[in-house]
Amino acid sequence: MIKPASPSLRPLSYLCAAAVLVGVYARFKGLGSAPLAVDEYYLSRSIENVLRTGLPHFNCGGYYMRGLLLQYLAAAEQAAGMSRELAPRLPSALCSLATLPAVFLLGRRLQGSVVAILAVALLALSIWEIEIARFGRMYAPFQAVFVWYVVFFVRYTVDRNRRAYWPMLGLSIVGPLVWEGGVFLLLTNLLPVFLHSRAGVIQRKHWPQLTVAIALLAVGYLFVTHDFRQLLSSAWPADFNPSLVDYSTDVVAGLPLPMRLLTQHPAWLAAALIPAIAVLGSLPSIWSTRSRPLLTVGLVAILVAAAAHQFLAVIALGALLLLMGYVSPDELLGRTGRRFQLAIVACALFWLAVGLASPGWHAARLGGTARAIAMLGYQFLRVPDFIGVVVRPWGRAVPHLGLVLLLLCGAAFVRMALRDASSSGEATADTPLDVERVLLVVLLVLLLAASAANPPRQETRYVFNLYPLAILIALTTLTRIAQAFTRRPAAVATATAVVAFAGFALTEDFRPSFLRHIDSPEATFKADLNEDVQSHLIVRDDYRTLSQWLQVHAGAGTMVINGVHGLDDYYPGIRYFYVDLRDPNFADWACQRGTVERWGNYPLLDSEAALATAIRSAPRAYLVAFGYDNEKLLATLAPLHPRIAISQGHIVVVELRGS
């Protein structure tokens, strides 16, 4: 039973209550007023298919399985008369609020009422949380499932409460039905066994649980990775060659890996004997840990990662071994681990030398010495791709917030390692766990899993579910810093609250004017924000205004060809859909041998020649397209004498003339 707040916490509780009221206002004010964003359009179309057939089945074949539970819930709401805009957004906003009680419970367990109250207040006011809550997709619902899962996960692992296992397991099964990233919950189901095996040995009583977790993970992985869109249908033209697709190339992706360069230089192959000898020399010390097989496997994995020049994996695996309690800092980093450390250093120096000596890394080719060094360094940190999946999108969109969270969460890990170094005795299977250690393990494992998952785009939303955990751990670190200066509870609460609110106010996640005018055109379409910040929040375009322009300017006989998803919900006069055969979206959008566009079921045009044939008899034609690269678009359409008639937000309307 939760006790009433002490007198010293009442002002903070009142402030939290006010923040929650503001958060509720911002989540629901004008919730259904904005036109559908592109990703909302996809869900909306599938919801219509659910209403039509009872299944998320496309007219032209295949199934859309993303956000399956949200689809059926929104379909029920639309059947009851709710608008297509509001139906998926309402569950999202409600789930965002449902996350807050779970955050409070975790905060209380983690560090007491101060952290619990502050975490709820900050998340209630978070622009990111509010924007995703107003987004009719799966991210806020999954965050709610995830945070409540962690509540039961903590009860099961820390409290050894067996009754918590079943809701934990149930939520992990629900996860992939809410969002495909929910498969990570099935992965997290493995962790209790390893957290309860701190002596480095999996006990016999844990094998049934581990077997169930592995079986569920296998089924969940097959479910989320299976391409149901292509099920029972031939989507692409018979001569379609995916290798011709014009993917936007990241310059880093084309750079040579040091390991690939090694075979081109026989002298370096001979020099590889040096790190190989160092690795072999470390094996006896690793073999001495065989009574703790989980530690032995972990140390071997670290050596393999070092030999493959992937030193982020080395650091991450070492951090996990420390957090799990399989090894002490002194054992891993002290004198007893000297041969193991020497092997890691030898691998690092060898691969650095290979990279620097290879002609593929010349500074002039890469645009300067500093850039060449940075890119070479990235080759040693690519697996898992934490830099590409987390650091780069956060650094572009919310650099201050990302840096603060990285430093405070990193400090929490260092503190845990130092605490283990100062504690006496070796961890055993019965050594009690604490909430902070468990949350750090969950956060680290899921960050690494997300980094290894190779998401389709580099966007912050793919780790959105982890944001509450990062906030909780960061606030815990602030509280501990305050406790280092004073033990008076009131002073600790005041200092933590002042620093937390002041720091949060200086980050990109706090915009009072944005909250106040949350449903205004400025807040909805974010024209004053750059593309990286828009991507961090929600990219929307004003399809209603664009539809009005087309209704005025597209007179009788004018052919309108669409190239953006979402417009057809507001403008009914579309004849064709256009996506170039070389566009990376073609494989997902094409249906029935490339003759039909999957989402709107329009006849599909896949080339400039097909466009020319379609508009030959039309006195005027408009192509509506995304204007992210107008020069490339106009060059592609040059034979049709293109002219940009209007540009609005991310969209351009191009007037075309046939031969």
Side-chain angles (χ1 to χ4, degrees):
M1 181 175 180
I2 296 176
K3 299 178 181 179
S6 65
S8 62
L9 292 180
R10 283 176 187 167
L12 190 57
S13 299
Y14 296 150
L15 185 60
C16 177
V20 170
L21 289 176
V22 172
V24 171
Y25 167 86
R27 282 164 172 79
F28 290 97
K29 185 175 186 292
L31 184 60
S33 61
L36 294 172
V38 172
D39 285 351
E40 289 178 316
Y41 167 85
Y42 297 142
L43 200 70
S44 175
R45 281 299 192 191
S46 194
I47 291 167
E48 290 181 0
N49 292 333
V50 170
L51 289 170
R52 177 176 54 85
T53 67
L55 295 171
H57 181 253
F58 294 106
N59 282 324
C60 63
Y63 297 85
Y64 188 62
M65 304 299 285
R66 300 190 71 188
L68 200 58
L69 292 182
L70 182 57
Q71 287 190 50
Y72 278 94
L73 180 57
E77 292 173 317
Q78 280 189 223
M82 195 173 293
S83 71
R84 69 177 66 190
E85 291 88 359
L86 182 57
R89 293 175 191 166
L90 182 60
S92 183
L94 291 172
C95 286
S96 179
L97 291 181
T99 301
L100 299 181
V103 169
F104 182 85
L105 293 174
L106 287 174
R108 288 267 300 204
R109 292 296 310 273
L110 186 60
Q111 189 61 18
S113 296
V114 173
V115 166
I117 293 171
L118 285 174
V120 169
L122 296 185
L123 292 171
L125 295 175
S126 162
I127 292 300
W128 195 26
E129 289 282 336
I130 290 167
E131 273 283 286
I132 299 296
R134 296 174 63 86
F135 186 38
R137 291 286 283 181
M138 306 81 63
Y139 303 104
F142 178 69
Q143 186 187 77
V145 171
F146 169 74
V147 180
W148 278 105
Y149 170 90
V150 176
V151 170
F152 292 105
F153 184 91
V154 167
R155 292 176 182 175
Y156 181 69
T157 54
V158 177
D159 303 337
R160 307 286 181 125
N161 183 345
R162 293 185 179 182
R163 289 181 298 178
Y165 174 75
W166 297 109
M168 183 189 86
L169 192 68
L171 287 170
S172 72
I173 295 172
V174 168
L177 300 177
V178 175
W179 178 51
E180 63 269 28
V183 73
F184 293 145
L185 292 187
L186 298 173
L187 174 67
T188 312
N189 284 342
L190 300 173
L191 290 181
V193 171
F194 296 101
L195 285 167
H196 289 157
S197 304
R198 299 187 67 193
V201 180
I202 298 178
Q203 296 177 311
R204 182 176 298 178
K205 65 181 181 180
H206 291 145
W207 280 106
Q209 179 186 341
L210 186 62
T211 302
V212 170
I214 292 173
L216 286 175
L217 177 60
V219 172
Y221 179 80
L222 291 174
F223 173 74
V224 302
T225 57
H226 187 75
D227 190 0
F228 288 94
R229 299 185 198 187
Q230 312 298 334
L231 191 66
L232 303 177
S233 65
S234 299
W236 303 333
D239 58 348
F240 177 66
N241 185 357
S243 65
L244 299 179
V245 171
D246 184 20
Y247 290 101
S248 57
T249 303
D250 188 340
V251 65
V252 177
L255 294 174
L257 287 169
M259 184 171 288
R260 293 180 180 176
L261 296 170
L262 188 61
T263 57
Q264 303 173 16
H265 304 280
W268 282 113
L269 280 175
L273 290 173
I274 297 174
I277 291 171
V279 168
L280 290 174
S282 70
L283 293 181
S285 62
I286 293 178
W287 179 248
S288 68
T289 67
R290 62 188 180 278
S291 62
R292 295 174 284 169
L294 292 178
L295 173 60
T296 305
V297 171
L299 294 176
V300 170
I302 290 176
L303 280 182
V304 171
H309 59 71
Q310 293 307 317
F311 294 97
L312 181 58
V314 170
I315 296 169
L317 289 169
L320 274 177
L321 291 178
L322 289 169
L323 282 176
M324 292 286 194
Y326 295 164
V327 64
S328 69
D330 287 340
E331 189 178 6
L332 186 64
L333 305 174
R335 180 174 297 179
T336 57
R338 194 62 53 84
R339 289 186 179 183
F340 179 76
Q341 299 160 22
L342 179 62
I344 302 300
V345 171
C347 290
L349 292 176
F350 170 76
W351 286 117
L352 181 61
V354 171
L356 291 175
S358 300
W361 291 96
H362 285 169
R365 174 176 175 265
L366 298 176
T369 302
R371 182 176 174 83
I373 292 173
M375 290 190 174
L376 177 59
Y378 179 56
Q379 300 303 324
F380 299 108
L381 305 171
R382 290 186 70 171
V383 179
D385 193 10
F386 179 75
I387 292 176
V389 175
V390 180
V391 174
R392 290 174 71 181
W394 280 67
R396 291 192 298 257
V398 282
H400 300 115
L401 176 65
L403 181 61
V404 168
L405 291 178
L406 180 64
L407 292 175
L408 292 177
C409 292
F413 165 72
V414 172
R415 174 192 168 274
M416 185 67 66
L418 292 176
R419 191 186 74 174
D420 286 348
S422 63
S423 62
S424 59
E426 185 177 298
T428 68
D430 296 322
T431 301
L433 291 165
D434 59 84
V435 176
E436 186 174 5
R437 181 187 299 276
V438 167
L439 293 188
L440 282 170
V441 167
V442 171
L443 180 63
L444 179 58
V445 167
L446 293 187
L447 278 175
L448 295 174
S451 301
N454 190 28
R457 295 179 299 277
Q458 290 185 345
E459 293 182 352
T460 55
R461 70 181 66 174
Y462 296 117
V463 292
F464 175 71
N465 61 296
L466 299 177
Y467 189 42
L469 287 194
I471 290 290
L472 284 167
I473 293 171
L475 288 172
T476 298
T477 302
L478 289 179
T479 303
R480 295 192 187 283
I481 293 172
Q483 289 173 341
F485 292 94
T486 177
R487 288 292 178 179
R488 295 168 51 201
V492 170
T494 301
T496 305
V498 169
V499 173
F501 276 115
F504 185 71
L506 295 175
T507 70
E508 304 85 352
D509 206 24
F510 183 69
R511 297 171 183 261
S513 61
F514 191 96
L515 294 180
R516 189 167 58 251
H517 307 291
I518 190 67
D519 60 341
S520 67
E522 293 75 18
T524 299
F525 303 115
K526 308 170 188 68
D528 60 331
L529 302 179
N530 64 46
E531 291 182 5
D532 292 325
V533 179
Q534 288 189 37
S535 177
H536 172 70
L537 301 176
I538 302 300
V539 177
R540 293 189 187 276
D541 285 287
D542 191 354
Y543 290 125
R544 293 192 180 103
T545 300
L546 183 60
S547 172
Q548 293 170 3
W549 187 93
L550 287 170
Q551 289 171 3
V552 171
H553 292 84
T558 300
M559 180 179 293
V560 177
I561 303 168
N562 192 18
V564 300
H565 284 126
L567 176 62
D568 50 328
D569 274 353
Y570 304 95
Y571 181 76
I574 292 170
R575 292 277 301 277
Y576 297 96
F577 193 94
Y578 169 72
V579 57
D580 192 275
L581 193 67
R582 296 161 295 181
D583 191 292
N585 291 310
F586 180 85
D588 284 337
W589 295 354
C591 206
Q592 291 188 1
R593 296 290 185 185
T595 62
V596 175
E597 183 270 328
R598 182 179 299 279
W599 297 98
N601 215 43
Y602 294 99
L604 181 62
L605 307 175
D606 61 10
S607 65
E608 175 272 326
L611 277 172
T613 300
I615 68 174
R616 184 173 299 160
S617 60
R620 177 189 293 180
Y622 285 132
L623 171 64
V624 185
F626 283 115
Y628 294 110
D629 191 347
N630 286 342
E631 292 184 4
K632 181 178 179 181
L633 176 66
L634 294 177
T636 301
L637 302 175
L640 301 179
H641 314 289
R643 179 185 70 86
I644 295 180
I646 184 176
S647 176
Q648 179 182 286
H650 307 94
I651 296 176
V652 294
V653 178
V654 183
E655 183 177 352
L656 304 175
R657 286 180 290 143
S659 55

